[in-house]
Amino acid sequence: MSTTPETASGPVMSYATAPTRTITAGDVTYAYRELGPKGGVPVVFFVHLAATLDNWDPRIIDPIAEGRHVITFDNRGVGASTGEVPDSVEAMAADAYTFIRALGFDQIDVFSFSLGGMVAQALVVEHPELVRKLVLTGTGPAGGKDIDKVAGVTYLDMLRAALTRSDPKEFLFFNRNTAGKRAGKAFVARLAERTADRDEPISVKAFQTQLKAIKKWGRSAPADLSKLTQPTLIANGDHDRMVPSVLSDDLHRRIAGSELIIYPDSGHGGIFQFHDRFAPVAARFLAR
């Protein structure tokens, strides 16, 4: 097993062709992919509810990987990683820490989306020395308003998508207006650009356990985010139905010195709808 994202011709620069690798830590074998030039502090991506390695938008990943070593991974019990999904965000963060340390890294930058942003917050609170910079998108703090209602919104939009034979992400991540529908279909098409070595889909049981963990997160006591000293970039759409956009403002107020971007006329997947604007901003933030 190699941890070097390089081939004989040089580093892998396209997420669509990045090989899937595995590493075992304790009783869990984690599946992951990496790309970009090796060296320095890597950027580790923390993915959303029900997502596997195949759910990252290459229009976000690839621009960041132009100058950075990028790593994506399946947490325990998700996709091709073994074990069972934990029923708390904090336990997911502990698994992420195990994975990162198994790769031999003492410090990382974090790029996170949705549930991944909750896991990232739990990780940085527990292991502040590990995280140098933090990107939180489409997410909210522990105890945040209406986070415990994510399951209801998710199941409703899954039903709406099934009735129209659409991908649920078109409903969950994007507004149902002309611009949102166009952005949703384009996003789903980009996720299909990888045609070989695709990941295992998440199981129903794992998905349901993740929803339970999110509900616990929404009903738990707020963490003291004033302790965070890491440079933090927060982004969302202005009409996020899954994790309400007001929670991005909440994070911004509570994390001293953080930067906030809210994209207009967009939902939970605002960073994907506006990938051409957001990816360069995120890359510059992580490069500073």
Side-chain angles (χ1 to χ4, degrees):
M1 192 278 306
S2 170
T3 60
T4 305
E6 297 185 359
T7 65
S9 59
V12 177
M13 300 303 295
S14 168
Y15 193 59
T17 60
T20 303
R21 307 178 187 276
T22 60
I23 190 168
T24 299
D27 60 351
V28 177
T29 297
Y30 296 91
Y32 69 101
R33 293 176 188 154
E34 52 184 348
L35 66 159
K38 186 182 179 183
V41 176
V43 183
V44 181
F45 279 62
F46 288 57
V47 80
H48 62 84
L49 169 70
T52 69
L53 293 170
D54 291 334
N55 288 101
W56 279 116
D57 190 340
R59 300 303 183 275
I60 298 288
I61 293 266
D62 289 357
I64 292 175
E66 286 178 7
R68 297 292 300 277
H69 180 185
V70 164
I71 299 170
T72 65
F73 72 105
D74 282 335
N75 212 331
R76 175 158 55 105
V78 176
S81 290
T82 64
E84 294 188 2
V85 171
D87 64 359
S88 75
V89 167
E90 291 79 6
M92 294 177 190
D95 287 332
Y97 178 78
T98 298
F99 164 73
I100 292 160
R101 296 295 292 127
L103 288 179
F105 297 113
D106 298 317
Q107 192 172 55
I108 63 168
D109 290 343
V110 169
F111 186 109
S112 62
F113 174 60
S114 196
L115 170 59
M118 301 170 195
V119 177
Q121 291 173 63
L123 176 70
V124 75
V125 166
E126 188 66 26
H127 300 284
E129 75 291 342
L130 179 68
V131 180
R132 187 183 68 165
K133 289 185 178 180
L134 189 58
V135 180
L136 300 171
T137 67
T139 194
K145 180 180 182 296
D146 290 341
I147 288 180
D148 60 345
K149 297 179 181 178
V150 166
V153 174
T154 300
Y155 284 129
L156 175 61
D157 279 357
M158 288 176 67
L159 175 60
R160 294 168 70 198
L163 292 174
T164 57
R165 297 183 180 180
S166 304
D167 189 300
K169 290 183 285 296
E170 294 182 39
F171 287 81
L172 289 163
F173 289 6
F174 301 93
N175 291 343
R176 298 307 292 164
N177 55 19
T178 300
K181 289 178 180 179
R182 186 186 312 117
K185 290 187 181 302
F187 172 70
V188 170
R190 293 196 298 272
L191 298 187
E193 289 177 356
R194 183 186 185 94
T195 57
D197 186 29
R198 290 187 64 86
D199 201 0
E200 297 291 331
I202 192 169
S203 69
V204 172
K205 180 181 178 182
F207 169 63
Q208 292 173 334
T209 304
Q210 285 186 337
L211 285 173
K212 291 177 182 177
I214 292 173
K215 181 176 287 189
K216 285 183 181 179
W217 179 259
R219 294 180 178 178
S220 63
D224 184 5
L225 298 180
S226 67
K227 296 179 180 178
L228 270 61
T229 59
Q230 291 81 359
T232 302
L233 174 64
I234 301 164
N236 204 348
D238 65 353
H239 187 64
D240 188 341
R241 294 173 54 251
M242 290 195 73
V243 184
S245 302
V246 294
L247 296 180
S248 293
D249 292 300
D250 187 9
L251 285 171
H252 177 48
R253 286 192 299 269
R254 294 167 60 183
I255 301 176
S258 61
E259 304 172 38
L260 175 65
I261 302 172
I262 299 294
Y263 289 106
D265 191 25
S266 58
H268 191 55
I271 65 166
F272 306 126
Q273 183 167 338
F274 290 92
H275 62 84
D276 55 338
R277 290 163 57 177
F278 178 69
V281 170
R284 286 194 297 269
F285 169 80
L286 290 166
R288 290 206 299 256

